[in-house]
Amino acid sequence: MSINLAEDRAEEASDQNLPSVWRWGEELRATFVLAWPLVIAQVAQMALVTTDVIMMGWLGPKFLAAGTLASSLMSPFYLFGIGLVSAVAPMIAQAIGARDFKSVRRTVRQGFWVSVLLAAFLVALIWNTKAIFLFAGQTEESSGMAQVYVHYAIWHLFASFLFLVLRCLLSAQGKTKVILVITLAGIVVNGLGNYALMFGNWGFPRLELMGAGISTTFVNTVMFLIALGYILTHHRFKRYAILVRLWKPDWNRFFEIFRIGLPVGCMLTAETGLFAAATLLMGWLGTNELAAHAVALQCASIAFMIPLGISQAATIRVGLAYGAKKSEGIRKAGWVSIIMGTGFMGTTCLAFWFIPEVLVGFYLDPLLPENQVPLQLAVSYLAVAALFQLVDGGQVVTSGALRGLSDTKVPMFVAIFAYWGLGLPISYFCGFVLGWGGQGIWLGLAAGLAFVAVVFVIRFAWRERLGLVNYKSI
């Protein structure tokens, strides 16, 4: 009996990857091993959306327009939910770091509760899509087609949020490769589902946008069930018994998820809203400017996936050290992640600066005369984007590190002020008052991100004097 207990304890220590003494090299390796599958999984997640967009385009312009319209409505609510539910990540990491495995189960259980309740609320909120779009001045046809897609795709919120809870548990245990494999499998299932249901192949009815919506819900359900099956059958996760007493409430933990997660959701919504507003400003300048902005933004979004994955690893590594009450571990986990994120964005900064034509050429054919103006504009926008690559990477990774300390409320206020109190006004002033056009709008984006990055880095550096490291609260 004692031998088995000793083996279990040794396995637990190995599982959590918590050294007794944190060393820079070991932390760098641990963060890299944790982060790289998350990075690729983020890119793969983008590929899921890209697959839908491509196949909607195959149906025709009106289907693509309606599908894009529907996605534009669902996306902010989805991102808000992702931010809220992601609060379980630092809570799980801190519990594992403290060897409080009962708290892991309770956090996962309450994460499931929050996921289901939040998804039900969002479904009810945006169910009457057609009326929303008609009120916004969209055509009857586009509004009706968009509603068809939403009525079948919106149900994916339940599975998506539930999968995120399990993804946080897998990440905290260092099983990020499993997340990557599941996400890659999701791309295949989504592509096959779209091909069968949207176009009526392999004996299935041709359902067009309805088929795309069904496929979206189905693939997210499959991803959740695969993750759940893996966790329930793997020996490392059996100790958590995550489905035991699933009906039992834990109100303190339930509201703790909201306390940590609501600011994260608001912060994601504020940042997404800033870029949406910038797109609107670009539309005021003209079609060429808007097309160039879309290309430059796509390049920046792909580059952003790297520090975003690293930020998720930062949350876990800092959370583990915080739960273990290791101040040195918190320091090294945070700074290693910040250096990794900004270091990578330094390479994209150079790429945007020295080879923008190559990058833009993937989206706009330089041989076509009609592409010459938007191509040149996109190159000029990437020059500005190169300047904020470092601060963009710095702000998202440092945000992840602060999240590992359950510090989300003040960062939310900082982000909202920076994006809407500084970034957007500067974009308008530089773009229209000074007459700098699209480059001025991008300078405003850079200014907002730079402010957030500087404040977040200072906040992490001053974490102890600001009282962010409070072991009594764990």
Side-chain angles (χ1 to χ4, degrees):
M1 183 72 175
S2 60
I3 294 176
N4 291 335
L5 181 60
E7 288 177 348
D8 287 343
R9 288 177 176 172
E11 185 185 47
E12 288 171 2
S14 174
D15 286 350
Q16 315 321 329
N17 197 20
L18 291 173
S20 58
V21 178
W22 261 262
R23 295 183 176 86
W24 288 106
E26 293 174 355
E27 183 58 42
L28 177 62
R29 178 182 178 279
T31 302
F32 178 79
V33 170
L34 187 65
W36 76 261
L38 292 174
V39 169
I40 301 177
Q42 286 299 139
V43 177
Q45 195 71 39
M46 286 189 66
L48 278 171
V49 178
T50 303
T51 302
D52 286 343
V53 172
I54 291 174
M55 290 189 164
M56 286 177 185
W58 292 353
L59 288 172
K62 67 178 183 180
F63 294 96
L64 178 59
T68 302
L69 199 63
S71 297
S72 68
L73 175 66
M74 290 193 297
S75 181
F77 296 100
Y78 172 68
L79 289 174
F80 174 80
I82 289 293
L84 196 159
V85 177
S86 67
V88 303
M91 294 172 64
I92 290 174
Q94 290 168 18
I96 291 176
R99 302 291 196 271
D100 185 358
F101 301 118
K102 184 182 292 185
S103 289
V104 173
R105 177 175 67 248
R106 290 176 175 175
T107 298
V108 171
R109 183 170 66 216
Q110 296 310 302
F112 284 164
W113 280 41
V114 171
S115 297
V116 172
L117 291 174
L118 177 63
F121 172 75
L122 293 179
V123 167
L125 185 64
I126 60 178
W127 180 258
N128 197 12
T129 307
K130 183 176 180 180
I132 296 173
F133 286 135
L134 289 175
F135 179 78
Q138 303 300 316
T139 66
E140 177 79 23
E141 182 182 34
S142 293
S143 300
M145 293 172 66
Q147 178 164 278
V148 169
Y149 175 74
V150 168
H151 279 183
Y152 289 90
I154 194 68
W155 301 105
H156 89 278
L157 293 178
F158 289 93
S160 294
F161 296 158
L162 291 169
F163 174 61
L164 178 59
V165 174
L166 299 182
R167 175 172 167 159
C168 292
L169 176 59
L170 290 167
S171 297
Q173 282 283 357
K175 290 292 185 180
T176 50
K177 291 181 182 178
V178 177
I179 298 171
L180 172 59
V181 171
I182 293 174
T183 307
L184 292 175
I187 296 175
V188 176
V189 173
N190 189 50
L192 294 175
N194 282 346
Y195 187 72
L197 296 175
M198 290 174 68
F199 304 97
N201 292 306
W202 302 324
F204 287 90
R206 181 184 173 93
L207 301 177
E208 298 174 340
L209 289 183
M210 181 191 300
I214 294 172
S215 181
T216 295
T217 297
F218 177 73
V219 68
N220 282 278
T221 303
V222 168
M223 291 167 66
F224 164 67
L225 292 176
I226 292 175
L228 181 63
Y230 178 86
I231 288 172
L232 292 179
T233 56
H234 196 284
H235 73 277
R236 184 174 296 183
F237 295 94
K238 286 184 178 179
R239 68 170 71 96
Y240 300 127
I242 62 172
L243 296 185
V244 171
R245 292 186 290 275
L246 188 60
W247 61 88
K248 185 178 180 181
D250 185 340
W251 297 115
N252 288 336
R253 206 172 301 269
F254 178 85
F255 289 113
E256 181 71 1
I257 293 175
F258 279 93
R259 186 189 71 80
I260 298 173
L262 272 175
V264 179
C266 291
M267 190 161 56
L268 284 176
T269 304
E271 184 174 359
T272 305
L274 171 66
F275 282 91
T279 301
L280 179 64
L281 294 181
M282 283 290 183
W284 293 354
L285 294 174
T287 303
N288 287 329
E289 286 81 358
L290 186 58
H293 172 74
V295 171
L297 188 59
Q298 183 68 16
C299 292
S301 298
I302 293 174
F304 182 71
M305 292 300 104
I306 310 301
L308 180 59
I310 296 173
S311 76
Q312 295 167 0
T315 298
I316 298 300
R317 293 300 301 172
V318 171
L320 288 171
Y322 186 35
K325 301 182 180 180
K326 300 290 186 180
S327 297
E328 186 67 7
I330 294 172
R331 183 173 75 91
K332 290 179 177 176
W335 288 117
V336 162
S337 299
I338 293 169
I339 292 170
M340 284 180 62
T342 53
F344 172 80
M345 294 303 261
T347 63
T348 59
C349 171
L350 295 175
F352 286 4
W353 189 263
F354 289 108
I355 56 169
E357 294 86 357
V358 175
L359 300 175
V360 173
F362 286 111
Y363 301 92
L364 296 172
D365 187 349
L367 299 180
L368 297 177
E370 61 268 27
N371 286 344
Q372 294 307 306
V373 173
L375 193 149
Q376 292 175 7
L377 289 171
V379 167
S380 69
Y381 298 163
L382 280 184
V384 181
L387 298 178
F388 78 64
Q389 287 297 289
L390 293 176
V391 295
D392 199 14
Q395 66 88 15
V396 69
V397 176
T398 311
S399 174
L402 292 172
R403 206 169 298 160
L405 300 174
S406 298
D407 178 38
T408 58
K409 186 176 180 179
V410 171
M412 174 193 68
F413 289 119
V414 171
I416 292 175
F417 169 76
Y419 297 147
W420 291 92
L422 290 178
L424 187 60
I426 291 174
S427 288
Y428 180 83
F429 182 78
C430 292
F432 296 93
V433 178
L434 296 182
W436 294 353
Q439 282 188 311
I441 293 174
W442 274 77
L443 282 172
L445 299 177
L449 291 168
F451 183 87
V452 172
V454 171
V455 174
F456 282 9
V457 169
I458 293 174
R459 188 167 178 81
F460 182 76
W462 290 357
R463 61 194 174 279
E464 294 190 359
R465 72 177 71 177
L466 293 173
L468 304 183
V469 181
N470 180 14
Y471 296 128
K472 293 181 180 180
S473 64
I474 300 177

